[in-house]
Amino acid sequence: MKKSILYLICFMSITAIVVSACKMTYKPEQVQYAVHHDRADIQEGKRLTMMMCGVCHYDNETKQLTGVQMVDVPDVLGTIIASNITQHPTAGIGNYTDAELAYVVRTGVARDGRLIPFMQKPNIADEDLRNIIAFLRSDDPLVQPSEINPGNTKYSTVGKMAIGSSKPYSWTNGEIKKPNPSDKLAFGKYMVDNLACYDCHSKSFAKLNKVNMSPL
Ligand code: HEC
Ligand code: HEC
C-alpha cells in the first residue's frame, strides 16, 4: 500500500476517534422552577426576549420567533439553525415545561440533551428569566404556534469539536437577584454578561467563563 494512502487512513481514523469523543449531549436534570404567570410582566418579558433571544430566533419574514439560520457563523463550523420557539407542540417549544425552559437558558442543555453553548446565560436573574418564560407562554402574536421548520442544525467535524470542547453550566438552586440599576457598575456588568458582549468581543469563545468573567 502506498505510504500516502496509509497516512490518509491514519488521519481519517484519528479524526473519527476525536469526533466520536466529542460530548454533544448531556442528561438534563429535573429541576424545580416556578413561574407565576399571573404576576409576570409580559411586556418586560417581550422586551427582554426580543433583545436577548430575538437576535437569533426571530424571523423577519414570518414576523415570529420561528427560528432562522445563524448566517454569521463561519461555514467551517457547519449549518447552525436557531429553533422555532413558538408555542407549537412539536415544531416549537409547546411541550417544554417552564423548568425545562429555565434549564436550557441557564445551562445550555435542551430537554432532549443537546448542548447549545452559544445561548447559555448562567447569570440571568430570576426576575428576567421568569418574565421571558411568561412572555413565551403568552398570547402575543410573536409566539403563537407555527409549524414552520427552519431546518436542522448540522455541525461539520470542526463544529463538532467546538461543541465538544464546550460544557454546560451548572444549575443554580436559589434566587439569582438582579442588581439594583442605581448600582451602575454591578448593573452594567449584569447587562454585559447577559447581552453576550463577551461572546463576540473576548479573545476566545471556547475559553469563556460566563459565571465569572475576567480578562482572558
Ligand atoms: C446566539 C444565538 C442564540 C440566542 C441569543 C438564543 N438562542 Fe436559543 N437557540 C439557538 C440555536 C442555534 C438553537 C438550536 C441549536 C441546535 O439545533 O442544536 C437554539 C435552541 C433553543 C431552544 C431549544 C429548542 C428545541 O428545539 O429544543 C430553546 C428553548 C431556545 N433556544 C430558547 C432561547 C431563549 C429563551 C433565548 C433567550 C433567552 C435564546 N434561545 C437565545 C440560538 C440562540
Ligand atoms: C454578535 C457579535 C457581537 C456582540 C454580541 C456584540 N458585539 Fe460589539 N461589535 C461586534 C463587531 C463585529 C464589531 C465591529 C463592527 C465593525 O467594525 O463594523 C463590534 C463593534 C463594537 C464597538 C465599536 C468598537 C470600535 O472600535 O469602534 C463597541 C463599542 C461594541 N462593539 C460594544 C459592544 C457591547 C457593549 C456589546 C454588548 C452589549 C456588544 N458590542 C456585543 C460584534 C458584537
Side-chain angles (χ1 to χ4, degrees):
M1 207 187 295
K2 271 199 183 142
K3 242 187 180 170
S4 55
I5 298 182
L6 257 178
Y7 281 142
L8 186 67
I9 293 175
C10 237
F11 173 75
M12 284 170 66
S13 326
I14 291 171
T15 312
I17 292 167
V18 170
V19 171
S20 62
C22 291
K23 197 160 159 50
M24 315 260 306
T25 55
Y26 290 80
K27 194 173 182 315
E29 297 161 82
Q30 298 299 313
V31 298
Q32 300 291 323
Y33 200 78
V35 177
H36 301 288
H37 292 264
D38 48 333
R39 274 186 261 147
D41 184 341
I42 306 284
Q43 273 318 104
E44 176 63 0
K46 180 172 184 172
R47 188 181 76 84
L48 293 170
T49 303
M50 289 315 279
M51 194 163 55
M52 295 172 66
C53 325
V55 278
C56 298
H57 288 279
Y58 178 74
D59 181 351
N60 224 347
E61 277 170 20
T62 63
K63 309 274 180 237
Q64 280 196 296
L65 293 167
T66 48
V68 273
Q69 182 178 348
M70 290 169 60
V71 287
D72 289 343
V73 172
D75 288 346
V76 62
L77 295 174
T79 311
I80 304 184
I81 299 174
S83 320
N84 174 340
I85 56 167
T86 69
Q87 293 161 6
H88 194 279
T90 49
I93 56 167
N95 279 338
Y96 266 75
T97 63
D98 290 347
E100 285 168 340
L101 281 175
Y103 193 81
V104 65
V105 172
R106 284 241 171 94
T107 68
V109 179
R111 74 197 287 260
D112 64 1
R114 256 174 312 145
L115 176 62
I116 313 173
F118 28 79
M119 55 172 241
Q120 292 161 312
K121 310 219 179 281
N123 294 333
I124 189 170
D126 288 293
E127 181 188 332
D128 288 346
L129 186 52
R130 289 203 174 98
N131 285 338
I132 288 174
I133 294 173
F135 166 71
L136 293 173
R137 306 288 199 208
S138 72
D139 56 9
D140 192 284
L142 278 162
V143 288
Q144 291 322 293
S146 159
E147 55 184 18
I148 285 178
N149 176 359
N152 295 323
T153 293
K154 206 169 178 315
Y155 294 109
S156 64
T157 304
V158 179
K160 281 182 187 157
M161 294 200 294
I163 300 294
S165 67
S166 309
K167 292 263 171 306
Y169 284 95
S170 345
W171 174 259
T172 313
N173 276 317
E175 182 90 5
I176 299 185
K177 283 212 168 7
K178 193 166 163 173
N180 192 321
S182 65
D183 182 348
K184 291 201 165 56
L185 197 59
F187 195 72
K189 180 177 183 307
Y190 178 74
M191 284 203 285
V192 167
D193 278 3
N194 286 287
L195 293 173
C197 313
Y198 279 101
D199 285 40
C200 299
H201 286 283
S202 68
K203 206 161 148 193
S204 158
F205 177 75
K207 293 195 199 124
L208 211 55
N209 177 349
K210 293 191 179 186
V211 171
N212 192 6
M213 291 291 189
S214 59
L216 291 169

